[in-house]
Each structure stands twice: as C-alpha cells, then as structure tokens.
Amino acid sequence: MLSLHEYIALKERLIQGEINTDEAKSRLWENFKDGKRAWHTKDWKERRRKFLKDKCEICDSKETLTVQHLSHPKKFIEYTKEITRSLTKEFIHINSEIDKAQLEEHVKNNYTYEPIQLCPNCLNRKPNIRTRKSPKFLCTKCEHEFNEPSYLSVEELISIFYRNPDAIEVRDKCFTSKDKWHNQHNLNNIKYWHQRSLVQKSQLEYIEKKALLLYLVDTIKYLSFEDAITACKICASRYDLHQMDLCPECKKHYKGIKYDTCISCLPESRKNEVLEKLSFNKEMMDIHRNFGID
Ligand SMILES: [Zn+2]
Ligand SMILES: [Zn+2]
Ligand SMILES: [Zn+2]
Ligand SMILES: [Zn+2]
C-alpha cells in the first residue's frame, strides 16, 4: 500500500502527464497486493496520533478511541461505471439514433432471440398453452385453436421498434446476450448498451484517466482523515458512521442524520429509546476490514 505522500505524488504526476493511466494503475495495484496495510505504516500511525481527539465526538467517552471515516473511496470500477453512464447520457442526448441496419447486425451477432408466440389468426400475444388438449394452443381473444403459433422475425420486430420504441410488441425481454452474462434484454436495452459500448470504446482513455483521478482524490481524502471523527468503540459499532453530522444544538457532538440532535442534547426520556434503536452496522464494519484501516 502506498503512503499518503505517494498517493499525492502519483496524482500530481498523472495530472502533469508525467505518467500515463496504465502506469499509474500498475503502481497502485502492485502496491495494493503487497499486503502491507496503510495502518502499518509509520506515517499513518503518526498522523493518526495527531488526529485523534481526547474524547469521543459522539458521546464524550474516553474509552478506546478510534478514527471513524464518514466517507470511503469507492472501488475503481464504480468510478468508471459512473463516468461511462453520464457520458452515454450526453451521447444519447446529442446523437439519439443509430442506423437500423447497424442495430440489426448488432442484435444478430450478440443475442439469441426467443420470440413471443402469437395467434396466427388475430396476432394476439401469448396464447394459452394446453398440455392435455389438442391442438396445443388456444387464443384467448379470437378463440382460434392451433398447433403452430406465429412469430415476428427480428427484422419485423426492429421495424416496429423504429416506428414506435414504446410499442407493446417490443417491450418483452426476449433477447439473451451470447456473452457469459446471458442478460435478458429488449430492443430498448440493447440499443442503450450498444450506444454505451460505443462511448466506452471511443473514450476509453478519457474514462480511465478521469476515474483514476477521482479514485485518487477520494483515497487521499480518506487517508488524510479529512472526513473523519474520533469515536469510541461503542459508538463506532452502534452507528452507521457514514451518515453522521454535527449536532445543530451544541455544535460539538456528532449525531446520526436521522436524529434532530445528539444524544446529550436529547431530553432524558428519549435517550434510552434512541440508544436501543441504534444497531450495529455490519456493512460499514466490513468495508473497514476490507480496506484494512479504521
Ligand atoms: Zn462514544
Ligand atoms: Zn468508515
Ligand atoms: Zn387469435
Ligand atoms: Zn448536541
């Protein structure tokens, strides 16, 4: 794990173009794998000692004080997803149409089609399937009985979609992606993911660099205790510490955002009630453990 200084230096070098995104990423990940946690570094221990107040900022206890972060860096992949999502939104806004032939080709290459069964007489959707009677199908609308249902071809379906993207015929998720995810999509989903992959391919470098910078900014904020408070072990296990803010009454203690004031500013009668409600937030503790620091 890199030290705070090294994170800051890496970020600067990336901004100045002294290293490219791939180099910065490999610097980060190789050091991440070495198993050395931030809290083992001398640098961390020193800053932690300076940061810690002499009492819990939630309850004033002086027992076993720890650094509690009110926000955490996300996984790198989450930043790339967010950026890609918002770039795709812009792209669609400017450039909403894709060529029909191109979409058709994309669908045929990347999806298997499981058509919806139709009545051959009236084209009503989804006839009843009878297991014991023959003929096998019964149309609930025109009462036609038949063995061979009709289908719309991919081309017909796409034509309908281009005339009216909200048409009832094109809403079903009757396409399965051929990749390992086997996603169930309708034409609207397919169009979106196709546009998104166009954006991703054409702006890959930009997306990766921006994501890495955001990741570094949040990690630096985290490692420098910018958005952190001193809390005792009891408060740390009781609260969801990602949702704390300063008490507006005393401006001294922290409180859960769903409460109006901190515990010491509450009337005596409500104190116990609130203390009972506060429950251990496992997810938060897991995040700490995964990151290896608290
Ligand atoms: Zn406390
Ligand atoms: Zn935390
Ligand atoms: Zn029918
Ligand atoms: Zn207060």
Side-chain angles (χ1 to χ4, degrees):
M1 180 121 191
L2 300 177
S3 70
L4 175 60
H5 262 69
E6 288 169 318
Y7 270 106
I8 293 168
L10 194 67
K11 188 187 120 202
E12 284 312 310
R13 292 179 66 202
L14 184 62
I15 291 171
Q16 300 304 327
E18 290 168 32
I19 46 169
N20 66 34
T21 309
D22 284 341
E23 286 163 346
K25 270 169 81 179
S26 63
R27 276 277 288 146
L28 270 176
W29 306 160
E30 99 200 8
N31 280 288
F32 218 64
K33 274 185 250 146
D34 70 6
K36 204 171 171 201
R37 306 298 200 183
W39 58 337
H40 290 156
T41 62
K42 205 178 141 196
D43 163 65
W44 174 273
K45 284 180 188 162
E46 184 66 12
R47 281 182 298 107
R48 183 182 186 277
R49 192 181 56 78
K50 281 191 198 138
F51 172 83
L52 278 181
K53 306 224 162 67
D54 62 349
K55 59 188 176 193
C56 173
E57 289 180 80
I58 300 167
C59 75
D60 286 340
S61 157
K62 296 189 175 185
E63 298 278 317
T64 339
L65 299 174
T66 58
V67 178
Q68 287 302 333
H69 300 270
L70 305 184
S71 64
H72 290 83
K74 287 171 282 213
K75 284 186 185 153
F76 174 68
I77 184 94
E78 296 301 323
Y79 296 94
T80 65
K81 279 186 194 166
E82 262 169 45
I83 295 163
T84 310
R85 208 178 293 136
S86 78
L87 286 174
T88 306
K89 211 173 149 189
E90 275 172 42
F91 175 79
I92 291 173
H93 188 70
I94 304 164
N95 191 356
S96 68
E97 275 320 310
I98 44 175
D99 183 59
K100 193 172 152 189
Q102 196 195 347
L103 185 68
E104 225 170 80
E105 167 139 356
H106 175 72
V107 169
K108 285 182 176 163
N109 290 336
N110 298 288
Y111 290 86
T112 50
Y113 174 46
E114 184 80 41
I116 299 290
Q117 295 165 329
L118 305 172
C119 165
N121 185 43
C122 73
L123 295 181
N124 191 41
R125 294 154 47 79
K126 300 180 183 172
N128 280 351
I129 303 169
R130 311 186 291 187
T131 46
R132 263 165 260 204
K133 264 188 181 169
S134 174
K136 198 178 164 195
F137 297 95
L138 169 71
C139 174
T140 51
K141 196 174 166 197
C142 74
E143 297 191 354
H144 179 53
E145 297 179 312
F146 52 98
N147 274 315
E148 297 290 329
S150 289
Y151 303 106
L152 289 171
S153 67
V154 175
E155 291 81 1
E156 286 168 322
L157 208 60
I158 290 177
S159 291
I160 294 171
F161 179 65
Y162 271 78
R163 281 198 301 273
N164 176 14
D166 299 316
I168 182 124
E169 293 91 335
V170 298
R171 286 185 204 164
D172 307 281
K173 297 189 173 183
C174 51
F175 295 92
T176 308
S177 67
K178 290 180 186 167
D179 59 18
K180 62 173 173 174
W181 310 110
H182 303 293
N183 289 317
Q184 300 283 312
H185 286 167
N186 60 26
L187 287 173
N188 217 354
N189 306 139
I190 291 176
K191 185 180 168 191
Y192 172 81
W193 286 101
H194 183 57
Q195 286 170 318
R196 184 157 158 166
S197 78
L198 292 176
V199 167
Q200 203 164 13
K201 274 182 210 139
S202 64
Q203 303 199 58
L204 188 64
E205 251 173 75
Y206 169 81
I207 293 168
E208 289 263 302
K209 184 168 181 175
K210 190 170 174 190
L212 192 59
L213 280 171
L214 290 176
Y215 173 80
L216 286 171
V217 165
D218 282 355
T219 304
I220 288 164
K221 184 172 147 192
Y222 185 87
L223 292 176
S224 51
F225 308 135
E226 230 177 77
D227 194 18
I229 59 171
T230 300
C232 71
K233 270 279 188 256
I234 292 168
C235 287
S237 61
R238 219 184 243 157
Y239 276 97
D240 177 356
L241 290 150
H242 298 286
Q243 301 187 49
M244 303 284 289
D245 57 10
L246 206 54
C247 169
E249 289 285 320
C250 62
K251 294 188 171 64
K252 192 176 107 196
H253 295 118
Y254 279 79
K255 61 169 187 67
I257 50 165
K258 47 182 178 276
Y259 301 104
D260 295 335
T261 70
C262 73
I263 291 177
S264 58
C265 292
L266 280 177
E268 209 57 45
S269 59
R270 284 214 58 214
K271 266 184 204 172
N272 283 336
E273 188 194 321
V274 168
L275 282 170
E276 270 168 29
K277 261 196 216 160
L278 297 171
S279 62
F280 189 91
N281 187 315
K282 187 169 179 301
E283 192 191 276
M284 199 274 316
M285 297 299 278
D286 285 345
I287 292 170
H288 274 234
R289 226 167 281 131
N290 291 342
F291 214 76
I293 28 190
D294 62 17

